[in-house]
Amino acid sequence: GKYIVETYVDGTMYHSDSCILYDSSQETTIENVGNTDTNFRITTRVANVPAELTQIKYAVWSKVNGQDDLRWIEGSRSGDEWKIDYTTLSSSGLYNAHAYAYMNDGSAILLGGYTFEVSEPTWDIEIENQDEEAGTFDVVIKNIDSKSGVSRIQVPVWCEGVSKDVYWYEAQRQTDGTYRVTVSIANHKYHAGEYKMDTYLTGGNGLVVQKSGPRTTMKPVQAAIEVRDPDGTERKYQLKVTNAGVFGNLGKVQFAVWSVENGQDDIKWINGTAGGNGSWSSEAVISQFKSYGTYNVHIYGNLNDGSQVFMGNTTFEVSEPTWDIEIENQDEEAGTFDVVIKNIDSK
């Protein structure tokens, strides 16, 4: 009930005040609904609810960065219970929840301070299927432990020292529960070197957690080039690149061909013709060049964005004919002799 306190000084009442003692008790509990880290239900049960009690409010905030995310939430009453569903999570980790009872005279009574924990997801990252020829590798996110599930996983990848080539991949869920992305150096301006990556997992509760992944080194991607002398006569060489697709969407491919002798004095730029499955081909006619011996072939592709990429190079040989020369039938009287060219080897 109500208690009155009066203070007397030398027989004269100096001050009067009062307070109320309630024959009441409360119990506040916090439930991680469904154990999914998406909804924390705070419930306060009051025994012998005082008539003067008008409302129970909860102050909730995470320990990360102090009270920068402090929220005051009025409880919803049902009989002798007040409750809230706290779903606006700002970070993983420990949360504080303070319960206050508000009386009809405007005063507030702290009922107690409580805590609850939002677990941080964990996962492993591995690199698989590195293909130097194709310039690709897979990033696999596995052994995921996230109470709220997974909304999305993003994987930014970049070549060390070349921050401008960062590319954000969206990981795709596999039937075994893992997530996977295929990284292609075509998305990173074909840079060779050490590749780094991060992973960002967004849980079903909207919280984002970051984890760095392993590193791997990628060599410069090379085109798979074929050079053929189909009839063995060394007159026409068929030139073909069979994996041009690894370099991206190509609008044009050119084959630069020249003989090593005397440098590039006989260089020819030969346009390629697109074939199936990302192949491009052309033909080098040897009569258009100047020398026997080794020939260089460099391949360049024009991407649809207007940039040019070096795709790779190879060589081929054009053999020089050989023969023997003999003099026969020398006739001093007639003043003649025969020159005989024999043992000719000319493809």
Side-chain angles (χ1 to χ4, degrees), residues 227-238:
V227 178
R228 295 178 60 244
D229 176 14
D231 57 10
T233 64
E234 295 188 351
R235 297 181 182 186
K236 296 180 180 179
Y237 284 79
Q238 293 180 354

Side-chain angles (χ1 to χ4, degrees), residues 78-100:
S78 176
D80 59 358
E81 286 187 351
W82 283 258
K83 66 178 60 178
I84 64 168
D85 286 330
Y86 191 79
T87 59
T88 54
L89 303 170
S90 59
S91 64
S92 302
L94 193 66
Y95 280 71
N96 290 307
H98 287 190
Y100 291 86

Side-chain angles (χ1 to χ4, degrees), residues 2 19 24 36 41 53-54 57 102 118 121 145 147 163 180 208 221 236 243 252 263 314 347:
K2 183 176 182 180
C19 64
S24 305
T36 62
R41 182 167 295 158
L53 177 59
T54 60
K57 292 183 180 180
Y102 285 80
V118 178
D145 183 6
K147 286 185 178 180
S163 59
R180 181 181 296 264
V208 180
V221 66
K236 296 180 180 179
N243 65 336
K252 183 179 181 180
T314 189
K347 292 186 178 178

Side-chain angles (χ1 to χ4, degrees), residues 53-342:
L53 177 59
T54 60
Q55 182 57 272
I56 292 180
K57 292 183 180 180
Y58 301 90
V60 185
W61 71 96
S62 66
K63 291 197 69 174
V64 176
N65 298 324
Q67 292 189 334
D68 65 331
D69 57 350
L70 173 66
R71 296 183 65 232
W72 286 87
I73 309 171
E74 289 190 3
S76 176
R77 183 176 183 178
S78 176
D80 59 358
E81 286 187 351
W82 283 258
K83 66 178 60 178
I84 64 168
D85 286 330
Y86 191 79
T87 59
T88 54
L89 303 170
S90 59
S91 64
S92 302
L94 193 66
Y95 280 71
N96 290 307
H98 287 190
Y100 291 86
Y102 285 80
M103 315 309 288
N104 56 10
D105 62 359
S107 62
I109 301 171
L110 174 64
L111 300 180
Y114 310 90
T115 61
F116 60 90
E117 185 92 16
V118 178
S119 61
E120 185 170 276
T122 61
W123 62 92
D124 296 324
I125 311 166
E126 294 182 2
I127 293 175
E128 297 180 357
N129 303 325
Q130 186 161 337
D131 188 333
E132 297 291 348
E133 182 175 314
T136 61
F137 61 87
D138 292 343
V139 179
V140 182
I141 296 95
K142 56 173 54 176
N143 302 324
I144 300 170
D145 183 6
S146 175
K147 286 185 178 180
S148 67
V150 177
S151 175
R152 70 189 301 197
I153 297 179
Q154 295 171 290
V155 185
V157 180
W158 66 98
C159 186
E160 186 176 27
V162 193
S163 59
K164 291 183 179 180
D165 76 348
V166 64
Y167 188 90
W168 286 75
Y169 295 85
E170 191 81 19
Q172 301 300 315
R173 190 180 189 278
Q174 309 298 300
T175 56
D176 60 0
T178 64
Y179 282 72
R180 181 181 296 264
V181 301
T182 297
V183 176
S184 172
I185 68 172
N187 296 323
H188 304 273
K189 302 178 182 179
Y190 302 95
H191 290 136
E194 187 173 53
Y195 275 71
K196 295 181 177 180
M197 71 196 69
D198 286 331
T199 52
Y200 290 84
L201 185 149
T202 303
N205 54 15
L207 299 182
V208 180
V209 182
Q210 179 268 345
K211 181 178 180 179
S212 295
R215 302 180 182 187
T216 188
T217 300
M218 294 297 292
K219 298 178 181 178
V221 66
Q222 288 284 312
I225 307 169
E226 297 178 2
V227 178
R228 295 178 60 244
D229 176 14
D231 57 10
T233 64
E234 295 188 351
R235 297 181 182 186
K236 296 180 180 179
Y237 284 79
Q238 293 180 354
L239 313 175
K240 187 176 184 180
V241 55
T242 58
N243 65 336
V246 303
F247 295 92
N249 294 321
L250 297 170
K252 183 179 181 180
V253 170
Q254 288 182 300
F255 296 77
V257 183
W258 70 96
S259 62
V260 171
E261 186 173 322
N262 297 322
Q264 293 186 335
D265 66 328
D266 57 354
I267 188 170
K268 304 293 182 187
W269 288 84
I270 308 170
N271 290 329
T273 301
N277 300 320
S279 67
W280 290 74
S281 60
S282 66
E283 185 177 70
V285 180
I286 300 305
S287 62
Q288 298 175 352
F289 297 87
K290 295 183 178 181
S291 305
Y292 291 104
T294 302
Y295 276 68
N296 287 314
V297 180
H298 286 199
I299 305 174
Y300 295 86
N302 287 25
L303 298 170
N304 288 340
D305 63 4
S307 62
Q308 188 179 70
V309 60
F310 173 69
M311 301 169 61
N313 62 282
T314 189
T315 62
F316 64 89
E317 294 289 328
V318 177
S319 60
E320 186 171 74
T322 62
W323 61 91
D324 297 326
I325 310 169
E326 295 181 2
I327 294 175
E328 296 180 359
N329 306 321
Q330 186 166 342
D331 188 335
E332 297 292 348
E333 182 176 324
T336 61
F337 60 86
D338 293 340
V339 178
V340 182
I341 296 91
K342 58 170 53 175

